[in-house]
Amino acid sequence: TIFLWAMAGRSQCRSGPRPGPVLVRLRHHGCESSGTDGRHLKKRCPWALAIGPSVAAAAAATAAVAAGVAAPDACTSEAHIVAPGTRRGGVPSRLLPAEVRGARAVSRSNSADLERARRSPREANFVQTRRSLLSCLGGFGFIFVFPGPGRRSARAETARGTSVFQGNILKSPNDTREYRALTLPNGLKVLLVSDPEVTTASAALTVHAGFYSDPEGLPGLAHFCEHMLFLGNKDYPDENSFKSFLSANGGNQNAFTQETDTTYFFDISPAGLQEALVRWSAFFKSPLFSASAVGRELNAIESEDAKNRQNDGFRLSQLQKSFAAEGHPQRHFGTGNRQMLLVKPSERGESARDALLDFFRLNYDAGLMSLCVLGRESLSTLQSLVEKGFSGIPGSSGATSPTLAWRGVDPFPPRAQPRTSLKWLDVVPVSEQRSLSVTWTTLFPDDASRREWLRAKPCEYVGHLLGHEGPGSLQSFLKRKVLASHVTAGIASEEDNFAQIRVAIEITPEGLRRRDEVVAALFSVLERLRRGVPAYIFDECKSLSEIRWRFAEKGPASSAVLKLVDRMQDGYAPEDYVSGRALLFPPELHSTAEAAAQDLMRSLTPDRARYMCVAKELASRADSKEQWYATSYSLASIAPQTVDSWLRPEKLPEYELPKPNRYVPRDLSLRSTRVPAVEMAAEVERPPMLAAENSQWQVYFKQDRAFGVPRGNVSIFLWMPQGELGEDSILGRLWQLSLGDRFNEEFYDAGLAGFGIDVSTAASGLSLSFSGYSDGLALLVRDVLCRIRDFEGPTPAEFDRSKDMVLRELQSFDILAPYTHAGYYTRLATTKPDNSIEELRQQAAAASIQKVQQFSQRLRKGGLRSFGQALVLGNLDSDRDLPEIMESLKCLSFQGLEHDEFARVRQLQLPAGSDALIARLESNPANENSALACTYWIGSGQRDAVFSELLTSILGDRFFTCLRTEQQLGYIVSAQLDRTGLVARLVLLVQSNSKAPDALLAAVEQFLEGFRRELAAMGEAQLEKFRAALAERILRRDERLAQEVSRWWGEIASFQFRWDRRHEEAEIAKGARAVELLGFFDRTISNGALERRRLVVAIFAAGPGSGEAVSTMERTAEAAGTRVVRDVEAFRSELPAYPLQDRMDERRWRESD
């Protein structure tokens, strides 16, 4: 997996190789990671020198001492025996691979060795010593074994034992979990988390090696290594062993590679954690890298690269990397592809498998790893499990970060003459976006500066000021001038050696024409901030951070371990592993943090910045192509007088510093006593009560006594009659965007204070949700609802911004991924009401400000007919907060609406025993991928829905293994269950850059035939683990207030009111029998099944012969009796809708009972 770094948060492409010491094919390779540093890895393995007049002589010398070199726990290596004079590009250097523990052969001739080791004097001296020995030796067979730099004896490491951190690990007062930090003898840093109440166990491991570590000529090797670690190891050679184990225990796994780190993680039912750790630890000790798997998985890398090629996130990130200093690993391309990992290395006589082996041995050192494990077990038990499973990973506590070689090196060096050398990087995107960005690099010259940056967090404060969206802000100024619509500021990327700070601005067409003025406004604001900021702003940031920290709720297990392992790998001390980035400005750093923020602002000057502009309008001036993604761009000089105006910016009279935040909560007390832990499960299952019901409103209420946080949620939905919003979806969308444009400035402070506001429109009506601290929540609901009542419609500027956004969204539809287009046609054909992309574009083109204003007027004056539902839940009183909120609901004035008049989104029912096909050409001719989506409607009742989940839990893992791992048909392969109410659909999805949809369909059908045989052979004992895992997943207790809100709101808004749904469906799952499940499959999925309802959507990559391929597939389908859908609207109009199965009457009976 490749991640993206996003502005002010991690979300852009992490790619890049880094140079490393190379001694006889002994390259330093690395994995992908989210950052930007590169340093040489100094491997701590013994070194072996084998010299002889022939390969045979050298082999004999090696064999004579191989047994003596080996140590039981030394890292396994291959000795690559090289004849004198062998050079890269001539006879392959790996002629006789021989398994030797802790020994490597060193080539006589590799002129790059000293150059690669030049940044490490110790390494350079080590290399030179070996060179001297080689030059003195004659034609005899010798082998010399030298201990590698920094390597301690395994015995000494073992004798030292596990080191347990004895200090206090700072955690939130609301955090009931227990923590223990320790370091294993092999150098592995570990954080253990014990939580007896956790509903899912999880673990994450990060190794400090990423794209930066990719060796020269092998971009993407780190990413390739990440893929390969999943495909079998010495203890569990079956490629699907761990995935199958997780699937049977309700778990999942994944991994991602970034610039300097590669991270692996999984979650599982708590009962399965112990065995999972044993299996998972084998990934990092003895991966097989089998030749067959290497060949197949290269196809997955190729497919992933193809998937990314039309993604602007990857394209823009890689383009910016290409302007890094020559030789810096920031330039690396981290995804890789078949050409770079197989074809070109083969031409040089190199082996992809050998490269992987070298890479793993050089980089996967326990001393460069961090591990976090969360489970129900005690800390002592978890420690024992980790020591047993992970102590065998080769490594040393003296391991040195592989990025140290690049410390102090600016990846984007300052220009010699900035006044005359600054340039705009003008980029042509694939999607319809229009933006500019200004980016600065901050270096960390030593560990102390890096640690100060981590603890003081100056960019949090600076980003808050520059990216503020309230009245008087930079964003407010640019919006009033019709130059921009949005401003964000913060960390774009952060590594061991440097951080990139970026201000990104979404600009209007006018802003594009006057982009120099937009940048001038930014530097004017920076100049004002450098003159000083009132203390209350800093104190407010600190106070809000402490409140969030104090009442932090438990996150999902996998999210928790990923955050924690990230902080460990970032370099935080053990006492800060948990608080890390979460707690701003610790008391002892208050003055330091404020000073650090001022220092950072002083460094954000025009001459140190890089400028990028992204817009389709720049296509006419593009004259260059980026190497990897062929992104079109050009460079435009910035006039010296413009630079002068930025260096000495004019004052912005409209700019104002943020005012004190009136939404900061004061009363953080709990309205009720929290129940004991043993009663928490029952308390969470207590449904909300019906507080009020009349012809206009149905309001539910529940006071929280389970989670003990001073927070609350209010969910509201206004049902509207059929056609009110559905006939012109764009009307509602423009109203929503215009309202949000107005609200964003007015209620921005509420968001900073921890409140959430969401307003959205759909075909069924208007949705509003509020969340945040109970102190002030009722006031916020009243303020927002009153503003909606008083919203007269957009101003011309607000309307223009909203319409521009909608038009660009609709224009970007064509370049979405093919699998997304397959989902679109599936939804369009089987859901109503819905609009085609053509209809939406027509509506947008015809939209006018008058129509949106008319809609606002009807909503203001009570001219709409509607019915409202609401759920109020949290740390709220029934005698104070609830009446206030119910009174606020009166701000929304409307006429009543009968239940049978509600606009309801309906699933359409295909005829039983029928298949249908929609075949289309991919709308983006530059996208080389095809896609296939096979959708089976397999249930319309509660029992069928549960059987669908059980079937998918068994089928999903097998589907992925068969089509992705074994057949390598594409990178995106999934089996997903979609439930809308009680209607269940199984979606089998494949996106491929190597196979057309007809071949993918044949593979899907062949898989289902084989799966049917497996299902028929499955006994009750085999099925039991899947039944138990599903029942446990259904019964998992809510761990956060928002989870409980979502669950109850789902019952209310769907008119199901199944308050005991989880227990009912868990019992169905437990009672399922193998013969029943097979019958269910035969009835709904098997070829020719009487109740099968299947729609196949095939998206063909555009290219020569693709039109004929579509016609051929359609003719073949028709010959087999399949309905070919050429007119989607006509097809949809023929289909009846599934019944709604509302439970209004039963709900009332149960409550009165």
Side-chain angles (χ1 to χ4, degrees):
T1 302
I2 301 290
F3 264 15
L4 299 179
W5 273 100
M7 165 48 53
R10 302 199 167 186
S11 197
Q12 250 182 35
C13 178
R14 35 183 175 30
S15 286
R18 111 181 133 232
V22 179
L23 300 169
V24 177
R25 304 301 303 141
L26 216 163
R27 284 201 179 123
H28 173 39
H29 318 331
C31 295
E32 312 178 87
S33 108
S34 326
T36 333
D37 7 338
R39 310 171 195 159
H40 296 258
L41 173 64
K42 295 182 270 288
K43 185 63 181 178
R44 296 146 303 283
C45 301
W47 293 86
L49 289 144
I51 307 100
S54 68
V55 171
T62 303
V65 297
V69 172
D73 57 353
C75 67
T76 303
S77 305
E78 271 187 8
H80 303 302
I81 293 90
V82 184
T86 300
R87 294 186 303 276
R88 180 176 178 178
V91 180
S93 59
R94 294 180 178 84
L95 295 178
L96 291 178
E99 282 299 312
V100 178
R101 287 189 172 276
R104 291 176 184 254
V106 180
S107 170
R108 285 186 55 191
S109 54
N110 189 335
S111 60
D113 289 351
L114 289 176
E115 176 62 23
R116 286 193 175 106
R118 69 188 184 281
R119 301 181 186 274
S120 168
R122 187 180 183 195
E123 188 73 27
N125 180 65
F126 187 52
V127 174
Q128 186 58 57
T129 300
R130 285 177 288 187
R131 282 283 171 74
S132 300
L133 283 169
L134 280 170
S135 64
C136 295
L137 290 170
F140 301 97
F142 297 97
I143 183 165
F144 297 87
V145 178
F146 301 94
R151 175 76 175 180
R152 300 181 181 181
S153 71
R155 184 173 300 174
E157 293 290 349
T158 304
R160 187 165 57 83
T162 298
S163 172
V164 179
F165 175 65
Q166 299 300 320
N168 178 50
I169 297 177
L170 182 63
K171 67 176 185 176
S172 164
N174 199 46
D175 190 350
T176 59
R177 290 169 172 167
E178 295 182 337
Y179 299 87
R180 178 180 295 173
L182 48 93
T183 303
L184 299 185
N186 58 4
L188 178 66
K189 292 183 295 184
V190 181
L191 179 63
L192 306 173
V193 188
S194 175
D195 182 356
E197 300 175 356
V198 75
T199 58
T200 304
S202 188
L205 183 146
T206 294
V207 58
H208 200 35
F211 319 154
Y212 275 20
S213 303
D214 286 343
E216 180 185 353
L218 287 171
L221 189 64
H223 178 217
F224 190 18
C225 184
E226 172 223 304
H227 278 235
M228 291 303 303
L229 257 62
F230 288 94
L231 301 181
N233 53 72
K234 182 178 178 181
D235 295 334
Y236 301 93
D238 181 356
E239 293 180 6
N240 198 42
S241 174
F242 190 59
K243 185 173 177 62
S244 297
F245 173 77
L246 291 177
S247 178
N249 288 273
N252 295 283
Q253 64 175 342
N254 213 329
F256 54 88
T257 307
Q258 302 170 285
E259 277 85 354
T260 57
D261 294 286
T262 301
T263 302
Y264 302 81
F265 61 100
F266 73 87
D267 59 34
I268 194 169
S269 166
L273 177 63
Q274 298 191 21
E275 184 176 349
L277 289 174
V278 173
R279 290 172 172 268
W280 193 53
S281 64
F283 278 35
F284 312 104
K285 292 184 284 190
S286 56
L288 292 179
F289 296 118
S290 68
S292 62
V294 167
R296 280 184 282 108
E297 199 61 22
L298 275 169
N299 294 324
I301 297 292
E302 180 74 9
S303 295
E304 186 170 356
D305 181 45
K307 171 186 71 70
N308 299 339
R309 291 197 164 275
Q310 294 297 300
N311 184 305
D312 276 325
F314 287 94
R315 295 167 68 91
L316 296 177
S317 175
Q318 195 63 44
L319 175 61
Q320 293 174 83
K321 288 172 180 288
S322 70
F323 287 92
E326 192 67 39
H328 197 286
Q330 175 70 3
R331 295 174 65 95
H332 286 182
F333 169 61
T335 307
N337 53 46
R338 191 176 184 86
Q339 181 75 12
M340 301 308 299
L341 292 170
L342 178 66
V343 177
K344 289 192 175 182
S346 297
E347 292 172 354
R348 300 192 298 261
E350 298 175 0
S351 158
R353 180 173 184 271
D354 288 346
L356 284 167
L357 289 166
D358 278 351
F359 179 87
F360 178 80
R361 285 191 293 261
L362 275 169
N363 293 280
Y364 277 64
D365 185 294
L368 299 174
M369 295 179 180
S370 296
L371 168 68
C372 181
V373 179
L374 188 161
R376 286 179 178 172
E377 293 81 356
S378 68
L379 290 173
S380 296
T381 300
L382 290 173
Q383 179 174 335
S384 176
L385 290 170
V386 167
E387 288 173 332
K388 178 182 177 182
F390 294 86
S391 293
I393 299 175
S396 164
S397 59
T400 306
S401 169
T403 62
L404 283 177
W406 297 97
R407 175 140 286 173
V409 179
D410 194 333
F412 300 95
R415 300 98 175 156
Q417 300 292 331
R419 185 174 176 273
T420 58
S421 61
L422 293 182
K423 297 181 184 298
W424 277 106
L425 173 58
D426 290 334
V427 190
V428 183
V430 173
S431 62
E432 293 290 339
Q433 59 172 294
R434 194 187 307 111
S435 66
L436 67 81
S437 65
V438 184
T439 306
W440 298 265
T441 301
T442 294
L443 291 181
F444 308 133
D446 49 40
D447 284 337
S449 61
R450 166 70 171 159
R451 286 194 297 271
E452 181 180 347
W453 172 272
L454 288 172
R455 299 207 71 202
K457 306 176 185 67
C459 203
E460 298 283 348
Y461 184 52
V462 174
H464 164 68
L465 291 169
L466 291 176
H468 203 279
E469 301 175 24
S473 64
L474 172 63
Q475 174 173 298
S476 178
F477 168 79
L478 294 173
K479 286 173 69 174
R480 284 200 303 274
K481 296 295 184 181
V482 198
L483 297 175
S485 58
H486 193 58
V487 177
T488 56
I491 297 176
S493 67
E494 181 178 295
E495 313 306 337
D496 292 350
N497 298 325
F498 69 91
Q500 295 190 78
I501 296 91
R502 181 171 298 152
V503 176
I505 305 175
E506 294 180 16
I507 52 178
T508 63
E510 183 66 15
L512 178 62
R513 288 188 288 272
R514 298 163 57 190
R515 63 186 182 181
D516 290 346
E517 294 180 42
V518 174
V519 176
L522 167 62
F523 284 117
S524 179
V525 171
L526 272 168
E527 182 65 25
R528 169 62 187 86
L529 296 175
R530 292 188 195 105
R531 294 202 300 268
V533 177
Y536 71 80
I537 297 179
F538 187 88
D539 293 339
E540 200 172 81
C541 290
K542 180 176 179 293
S543 175
L544 288 171
S545 165
E546 290 170 348
I547 293 173
R548 287 193 300 269
W549 168 251
R550 178 181 171 188
F551 296 105
E553 293 187 87
K554 294 177 182 178
S558 58
S559 298
V561 296
L562 284 170
K563 287 180 181 177
L564 291 169
V565 82
D566 187 49
R567 292 168 191 164
M568 296 168 70
Q569 202 74 337
D570 275 345
Y572 282 99
E575 59 265 29
D576 297 322
Y577 281 170
V578 179
S579 59
R581 298 180 185 277
L583 188 59
L584 294 182
F585 320 135
E588 70 275 13
L589 285 180
H590 193 285
S591 59
T592 303
E594 195 165 6
Q598 282 296 333
D599 288 344
L600 178 60
M601 283 190 286
R602 281 191 287 271
S603 73
L604 304 183
T605 57
D607 53 307
R608 296 187 62 252
R610 305 190 305 281
Y611 304 88
M612 182 173 73
C613 192
V614 181
K616 286 276 194 178
E617 293 91 330
L618 300 171
S620 61
R621 66 182 72 170
D623 55 14
S624 301
K625 298 279 189 181
E626 186 271 329
Q627 176 185 1
W628 299 105
Y629 294 108
T631 304
S632 298
Y633 72 94
S634 62
L635 294 172
S637 295
I638 301 175
Q641 56 268 32
T642 299
V643 178
D644 290 341
S645 71
W646 294 348
L647 288 167
R648 293 178 291 277
E650 296 181 359
K651 180 181 178 181
L652 285 186
E654 300 94 333
Y655 177 74
E656 297 178 357
L657 289 167
K659 299 290 193 299
N661 191 334
R662 72 187 184 99
Y663 287 101
V664 175
R666 309 291 182 219
D667 179 7
L668 298 171
S669 62
L670 297 181
R671 307 281 206 267
S672 64
T673 303
R674 188 177 185 180
V675 299
V678 293
E679 299 177 21
M680 189 170 177
E683 174 61 24
V684 171
E685 291 302 311
R686 180 173 61 88
M689 69 175 190
L690 183 62
E693 185 173 36
N694 53 44
S695 61
Q696 293 183 318
W697 284 101
Q698 183 184 61
V699 182
Y700 283 84
F701 174 79
K702 179 182 177 182
Q703 184 179 59
D704 171 57
R705 296 187 300 162
F707 297 103
V709 290
R711 299 182 64 86
N713 292 71
V714 179
S715 302
I716 300 170
F717 194 84
L718 296 182
W719 292 95
M720 295 187 179
Q722 195 75 37
E724 186 67 55
L725 290 176
E727 291 180 0
D728 193 342
S729 298
I730 297 299
L731 173 67
R733 174 75 170 143
L734 289 171
W735 178 86
Q736 170 198 333
L737 291 173
S738 301
L739 181 72
D741 196 334
R742 181 85 55 88
F743 275 16
N744 185 65
E745 187 167 309
E746 184 172 355
F747 294 105
Y748 181 72
D749 277 352
L752 291 178
F755 292 92
I757 307 169
D758 182 73
V759 180
S760 61
T761 58
S764 298
L766 176 64
S767 173
L768 305 99
S769 65
F770 306 85
S771 62
Y773 297 103
S774 41
D775 179 30
L777 184 61
L779 173 65
L780 180 67
V781 172
R782 186 197 67 191
D783 287 351
V784 171
L785 295 185
C786 288
R787 296 302 185 279
I788 291 176
R789 178 198 62 196
D790 298 336
F791 182 57
E792 70 284 357
T795 64
E798 289 169 342
F799 176 78
D800 289 344
R801 281 194 295 269
S802 299
K803 186 172 181 178
D804 177 64
M805 183 181 297
V806 168
L807 289 173
R808 286 187 287 124
E809 287 175 350
L810 296 173
Q811 289 166 358
S812 294
F813 171 85
D814 291 342
I815 56 93
L816 295 176
Y819 76 89
T820 306
H821 290 149
Y824 158 76
Y825 282 109
T826 301
R827 189 193 71 245
L828 186 64
T830 60
T831 307
K832 73 174 185 182
D834 206 343
N835 295 104
S836 69
I837 186 65
E838 293 79 14
E839 290 170 335
L840 293 174
R841 286 170 173 167
Q842 291 171 5
Q843 292 175 12
S848 67
I849 188 172
Q850 292 79 14
K851 290 182 179 180
V852 182
Q853 290 173 338
Q854 288 169 7
F855 178 80
S856 293
Q857 292 296 325
R858 292 173 61 201
L859 191 60
R860 289 181 64 200
K861 297 179 179 179
L864 292 177
R865 298 174 59 233
S866 184
F867 181 81
Q869 288 183 296
L871 170 64
V872 181
L873 196 156
N875 183 51
L876 301 164
D877 282 328
S878 59
D879 57 353
R880 184 181 67 179
D881 300 298
L882 179 61
E884 287 184 27
I885 292 171
M886 293 182 65
E887 184 66 24
S888 298
L889 295 178
K890 295 178 181 178
C891 293
L892 300 175
S893 177
F894 50 82
Q895 303 170 32
L897 187 69
E898 293 298 321
H899 182 79
D900 57 7
E901 297 180 280
F902 296 175
R904 307 286 293 275
V905 176
R906 308 286 294 275
Q907 286 284 307
L908 302 180
Q909 190 172 30
L910 276 68
S914 69
D915 283 5
L917 169 70
I918 298 175
R920 296 289 187 273
L921 285 177
E922 167 57 29
S923 56
N924 180 7
N927 199 314
E928 60 192 63
N929 295 284
S930 295
L932 181 85
C934 295
T935 305
Y936 299 82
W937 280 258
I938 55 177
S940 59
Q942 190 174 26
R943 183 177 182 277
D944 282 359
V946 176
F947 269 57
S948 301
E949 289 195 51
L950 180 59
L951 185 66
T952 305
S953 69
I954 302 170
L955 178 146
D957 173 57
R958 289 162 168 79
F959 184 69
F960 181 89
T961 299
C962 179
L963 274 69
R964 164 73 157 70
T965 306
E966 295 174 356
Q967 298 185 50
Q968 287 293 336
L969 296 182
Y971 180 73
I972 296 176
V973 176
S974 70
Q976 302 172 344
L977 181 69
D978 170 57
R979 282 182 62 174
T980 303
L982 296 177
V983 178
R985 304 185 303 172
L986 173 65
V987 183
L988 302 180
L989 181 68
V990 186
Q991 179 172 291
S992 176
N993 68 325
S994 61
K995 298 292 183 182
D998 50 354
L1000 297 177
L1001 180 58
V1004 168
E1005 292 180 334
Q1006 185 178 17
F1007 163 78
L1008 290 174
E1009 290 176 7
F1011 176 73
R1012 199 270 176 201
R1013 291 191 293 271
E1014 283 190 65
L1015 201 60
M1018 182 176 289
E1020 294 298 329
Q1022 290 176 283
L1023 183 61
E1024 173 55 28
K1025 58 185 179 181
F1026 291 100
R1027 283 194 300 248
L1030 176 58
E1032 180 183 313
R1033 187 166 68 247
I1034 292 172
L1035 291 171
R1036 281 177 186 167
R1037 178 176 53 79
D1038 301 324
E1039 293 186 292
R1040 295 172 298 286
L1041 181 63
Q1043 282 183 299
E1044 184 183 0
V1045 171
S1046 177
R1047 182 164 55 89
W1048 294 133
W1049 185 236
E1051 295 295 335
I1052 294 167
S1054 65
F1055 298 100
Q1056 288 297 298
F1057 304 102
R1058 291 184 180 272
W1059 308 124
D1060 281 336
R1061 178 185 298 277
R1062 296 206 288 201
H1063 292 93
E1064 292 171 0
E1065 296 192 351
E1067 289 303 312
I1068 294 173
K1070 293 175 184 177
R1073 293 293 173 261
V1075 64
E1076 294 175 320
L1077 194 62
L1078 178 62
F1080 178 72
F1081 181 89
D1082 285 341
R1083 176 166 55 87
T1084 60
I1085 295 178
S1086 286
N1087 193 24
L1090 294 178
E1091 295 183 28
R1092 178 160 107 162
R1093 296 175 168 88
R1094 183 178 78 165
L1095 173 63
V1096 175
V1097 177
I1099 305 295
F1100 285 77
S1106 55
E1108 179 57 32
V1110 171
S1111 299
T1112 300
M1113 187 174 188
E1114 290 179 335
R1115 289 194 298 269
T1116 302
E1118 285 179 321
T1122 296
R1123 166 82 178 270
V1124 174
V1125 180
R1126 295 182 174 87
D1127 184 334
V1128 174
E1129 180 57 40
F1131 175 74
R1132 181 170 64 174
S1133 66
E1134 300 172 9
L1135 302 179
Y1138 278 96
L1140 290 170
Q1141 304 183 58
D1142 291 345
R1143 287 166 41 100
M1144 293 286 289
D1145 290 339
E1146 184 174 351
R1147 189 272 311 163
R1148 287 175 177 141
W1149 173 83
R1150 293 193 61 174
E1151 288 191 341
S1152 62
D1153 186 61

